[in-house]
Amino acid sequence: MIDNIEHRIIRGVTCDLAVYMQGPPDGIPVVMTHSILSSSLMWDKQAVLLADKGFRVIRIDTAGHGNSSVPAEVFTMDELAADTVAVLEALNIPRAHYVGLSLGGMSGFGLGVIHADRLLSLLLCDARADAPPEVAAPWDDRIASAELHGSCAPLVEPTLERWFGKPFLLSHPEVNERFRSIANGTSVPGFVGSARAIQSLNYLDQVGAIETPTTLVVGSNDGVLPETMRELQTRISDSTFAVIPNAGHLPNVDQPAAFNEALMRHFERYAL
């Protein structure tokens, strides 16, 4: 399925979005979105897995990331969620399963709160639903650095080290180079818009209203997020929680086998 990928440009709320589709056209739709400073390429292995299982996989490059266009102005998390809805509308898909990680998981909470009628299920990975001061503040320095240099290059090394840790990067040079290239290719407006959206993230008091079947997944080594997501799971009535051992912020990349098991348990529960 990896060689049979359709590419479309779809007008979203924030910009023109690059969308990639694979798997049977009549398969159950699964939309996948990614982290800040990444792209839809981070889901390559999972897209092949799901397409081979008969799903219609739809991956979206977030505004200013990958091959999506550069947004004209700063945007909100609500608008990132609305981008996903715009893609569903353009593809005539009434409802879909949604898989989002980090930034994509954050906007996924927005989908669950605002656009539940478009969802079959949610699988949200390594994400939180709010941005208290200690979470929001570090993004100011990162934004200032990108704007000063006119590039996301100064952010690449510290970001990859936060995601994977130095030992993993040294022992997996192909992952290091690939994600370094993707992060370097992110536009400054795309990064800044996404960072500002993260700073204004404010769904925590509303996630208790989510009735969409939900699975929360997190890497065991991803800072405070295992504890944060475990608490979120107690707020969402129809939800389950999974920790990926020995994984960081992108468990689908550094522990793909264990992540894929959790992914398929979700779809066995809610789709198969």
Side-chain angles (χ1 to χ4, degrees):
M1 292 292 184
I2 189 66
D3 294 324
N4 188 24
I5 300 176
E6 296 178 52
H7 175 217
R8 281 187 59 179
I9 298 295
I10 292 174
R11 183 62 197 172
V13 173
T14 62
C15 69
D16 291 329
L17 300 165
V19 179
Y20 303 88
M21 296 167 285
Q22 64 199 97
D26 60 350
I28 298 171
V30 178
V31 175
M32 310 185 85
T33 63
H34 57 82
S35 66
I36 194 170
L37 287 175
S38 186
S39 79
S40 58
L41 293 175
M42 66 167 278
W43 290 117
D44 274 354
K45 290 184 178 180
Q46 288 73 37
V48 171
L49 171 65
L50 291 172
D52 285 346
K53 294 289 185 181
F55 291 95
R56 181 62 166 172
V57 182
I58 301 145
R59 289 182 285 167
I60 305 170
D61 282 341
T62 297
H65 291 66
N67 289 314
S68 288
S69 67
V70 176
E73 53 191 42
V74 173
F75 44 85
T76 66
M77 201 64 72
D78 284 1
E79 288 173 320
L80 288 181
D83 273 346
T84 296
V85 175
V87 170
L88 295 178
E89 289 282 356
L91 298 177
N92 296 312
I93 296 173
R95 300 172 74 204
H97 297 281
Y98 179 86
V99 178
L101 190 150
S102 190
L103 177 65
M106 297 175 198
S107 66
F109 284 115
L111 283 169
V113 169
I114 304 168
H115 304 286
D117 59 319
R118 307 309 299 258
L119 298 172
L120 296 170
S121 76
L122 288 165
L123 190 145
L124 307 178
C125 313
D126 297 80
R128 56 186 307 131
D130 66 336
E134 66 272 16
V135 172
W139 291 102
D140 285 330
D141 287 341
R142 297 167 192 167
I143 289 168
S145 179
E147 291 181 331
L148 176 64
H149 290 85
S151 164
C152 290
L155 307 173
V156 174
E157 192 70 33
T159 297
L160 295 186
E161 289 183 8
R162 282 196 304 273
W163 286 355
F164 299 111
K166 283 187 178 180
F168 181 89
L169 293 171
L170 290 171
S171 61
H172 295 80
E174 73 290 349
V175 173
N176 189 355
E177 288 307 310
R178 188 176 203 214
F179 279 85
R180 187 177 301 276
S181 175
I182 294 170
N184 269 312
T186 302
S187 72
V188 171
F191 170 76
V192 171
S194 299
R196 292 301 188 202
I198 291 170
Q199 288 183 310
S200 63
L201 179 66
N202 190 28
Y203 296 129
L204 184 60
D205 291 339
Q206 303 171 72
V207 296
I210 294 176
E211 297 181 351
T212 303
T214 300
T215 298
L216 303 179
V217 179
V218 66
S220 64
N221 300 333
D222 197 5
V224 301
L225 279 180
E227 179 182 348
T228 299
M229 295 195 77
R230 190 181 299 276
E231 196 278 331
L232 279 169
Q233 190 266 327
T234 67
R235 294 173 179 247
I236 302 172
S237 58
D238 189 3
S239 66
T240 59
F241 177 69
V243 176
I244 307 300
N246 302 312
H249 193 58
L250 273 60
N252 65 308
V253 177
D254 60 9
Q255 295 294 339
F259 180 88
N260 290 349
E261 288 181 8
L263 180 73
M264 292 316 301
R265 282 197 301 272
H266 174 85
F267 286 111
E268 287 164 4
R269 185 179 297 119
Y270 299 122
L272 300 178

